[in-house]
Amino acid sequence: MAEEFVVTPWDVKGEIDYNRLIERFGTRPLEENLLERLRTQAGDLHPFLTRDIFYSHRDLDWILDEYEGGNPFYLYTGRGPSGEVHVGHLMPWVLSKWMQDTLGATLYFQLTDDEKFLFRGFDTLGESHHVGVENALDIIALGFDPAKTKIFFDSDLIRWMYPLVLQVARRITFSTVKAVFGFTASNNIGEIFYTSIQTVPAFMESAVQGRSVPCLIPCGIDQDPHFRITRDVAPGLGYPKPALIHNKLMPSLKGMGAKMSASDPSSAIFVTDTAETARRSIMNAVTGGGATVEEHRRNGGKPEVCPIFHHYAYFFEMDDEHLQEVENTCRNGDRLCGECKEELAEKVLAFLEKHQARREEARDRLDDFLLKDGDLPELESA
Ligand code: TYM
């Protein structure tokens, strides 16, 4: 029997059974009819959608009903600035960018420097804020439209958010967060409070406009537990429940059940890696290949359990035809793991070079994107 897996916003362990996760979390699979409706509105579908990488949702059908009826939605996503960004983190941001381009959606992007302070990532809020600024460059580098993108730090916007945070906090009990996150008496009280801060941006555009504006949250499935709580408190506050669209998680280069972690630089491709580091991480990665070349040639490889293949499929090879060829030649044993890694390394290095140039250009453009205290209209009643 497969080892029991764990998926929470702070801990991902074991080999994830994504269908079981849908049952556990009570979300819905992203079905064909919804994808077709999305295709009609967007004019196309991003490969993340056709490849079942974004695979689960809550109320996407409602978002489409509203959109088709002339009531567009806004996007909300975020990042807990704990260190360098890896390519897994980029996945929900790339889909958000696609939705901004194709459906015209405004994006609110939350940088939770407070979260990474409270959850003991850093000893000072300043450190977490500093990392957040670096992470913001990676977000901007993806090409978001500054007129439709608002990136903000919790610590900068807290004065504006606070009345709403309080409205949320008083509707969440300790038993709820214990049940949802597994908190115990030894969690600090900031951790217990934190989910109210991650909730507020789901109501932000409604609060700003003074009317119900639908919100869609693209995120990794690990973040869903926060938004179950958000959805529970929304009606009591007079806001619509946010909808979600969830992606599967990019596996670690160390193996499908291992963790991608900034403390182990070779567990992932970090977007700020040097060419040498990225290359080394790829060459040392675990694969789904046979134990020897002979065995591999005879029996072929197993792309479904190969982190290298997942890096192709989830990010670095968006051409379906070539991806199919990679898969076929792996399965029939024609493609050896060494060759496959070389080809991936080329794609990764080309991506890194471009991304790193763009993130440097973004330094001068930070102010075009950052939302500060005072930028939002004061709330009349909260
Ligand atoms: P964080 O910084 O841990 O992750 C940022 C986003 O990346 C997703 N993610 C992944 N996606 C694919 N493969 C992976 N291996 C992988 N690891 C992480 C996460 O699901 C997330 O979408 N508390 C949040 C920050 C946050 C947020 C939000 C996230 C605040 N508001 C709204 C999503 C939506 C956090 O620490 O994310």
Side-chain angles (χ1 to χ4, degrees), residues 323-334:
L323 184 69
Q324 191 62 55
E325 190 188 319
V326 172
E327 181 174 344
N328 294 346
T329 51
C330 168
R331 283 196 198 286
N332 71 15
D334 281 351

Side-chain angles (χ1 to χ4, degrees), residues 56-285:
S56 152
H57 77 101
R58 291 182 188 270
D59 283 347
L60 184 65
D61 35 356
W62 164 71
I63 287 284
L64 288 166
D65 290 344
E66 293 292 312
Y67 190 87
E68 289 160 3
N71 188 23
F73 60 93
Y74 76 100
L75 295 161
Y76 158 41
T77 196
R79 157 79 179 146
S82 53
E84 311 278 271
V85 164
H86 59 55
V87 291
H89 295 131
L90 298 183
M91 293 165 56
W93 311 347
V94 166
L95 192 85
S96 302
K97 154 92 167 88
W98 177 80
M99 288 193 157
Q100 180 170 86
D101 290 347
T102 56
L103 302 168
T106 293
L107 168 68
Y108 279 87
F109 198 112
Q110 181 179 39
L111 286 163
T112 56
D113 49 352
D114 51 351
E115 177 189 9
K116 292 302 155 188
F117 172 69
L118 289 169
F119 287 82
R120 297 169 207 271
F122 295 104
D123 290 337
T124 65
L125 187 57
E127 282 170 86
S128 159
H129 193 279
H130 174 78
V131 171
V133 171
E134 289 299 309
N135 291 176
L137 302 178
D138 294 311
I139 299 159
I140 297 169
L142 297 179
F144 288 103
D145 175 356
K148 287 193 182 138
T149 307
K150 303 164 203 278
I151 303 175
F152 60 96
F153 284 90
D154 286 343
S155 61
D156 287 339
L157 217 65
I158 193 64
R159 194 191 61 84
W160 186 90
M161 290 200 295
Y162 201 48
L164 279 174
V165 169
L166 293 180
Q167 290 285 0
V168 171
R170 78 172 197 162
R171 287 168 171 80
I172 305 172
T173 63
F174 185 31
S175 342
T176 298
V177 290
K178 273 204 285 195
V180 172
F181 300 116
F183 288 156
T184 65
S186 55
N187 279 94
N188 74 52
I189 60 173
E191 291 173 316
I192 293 158
F193 175 74
Y194 169 73
T195 198
S196 46
I197 302 222
Q198 188 157 327
T199 282
V200 163
F203 308 143
M204 231 153 146
E205 190 64 6
S206 293
V208 167
Q209 293 197 23
R211 65 177 186 94
S212 285
V213 186
C215 172
L216 175 64
I217 307 176
C219 62
I221 186 85
D222 61 308
Q223 296 293 317
D224 183 74
H226 283 298
F227 300 117
R228 250 181 280 159
I229 296 179
T230 306
R231 287 166 53 85
D232 282 350
V233 302
L237 283 164
Y239 294 121
K241 294 183 180 189
L244 289 107
I245 178 165
H246 308 105
N247 59 281
K248 296 178 183 170
L249 305 178
M250 176 81 93
S252 163
L253 288 166
K254 293 294 180 67
M256 297 297 288
K259 215 177 155 56
M260 274 173 117
S261 155
S263 56
D264 179 359
S266 58
S267 63
I269 306 293
F270 292 89
V271 297
T272 41
D273 275 350
T274 61
E276 197 191 351
T277 305
R279 201 161 196 288
R280 195 177 327 116
S281 305
I282 295 168
M283 292 306 160
N284 291 336

Side-chain angles (χ1 to χ4, degrees), residues 44-58:
D44 199 359
L45 282 180
H46 192 279
F48 286 171
L49 294 159
T50 50
R51 291 181 187 176
D52 209 32
I53 295 169
F54 274 81
Y55 85 112
S56 152
H57 77 101
R58 291 182 188 270

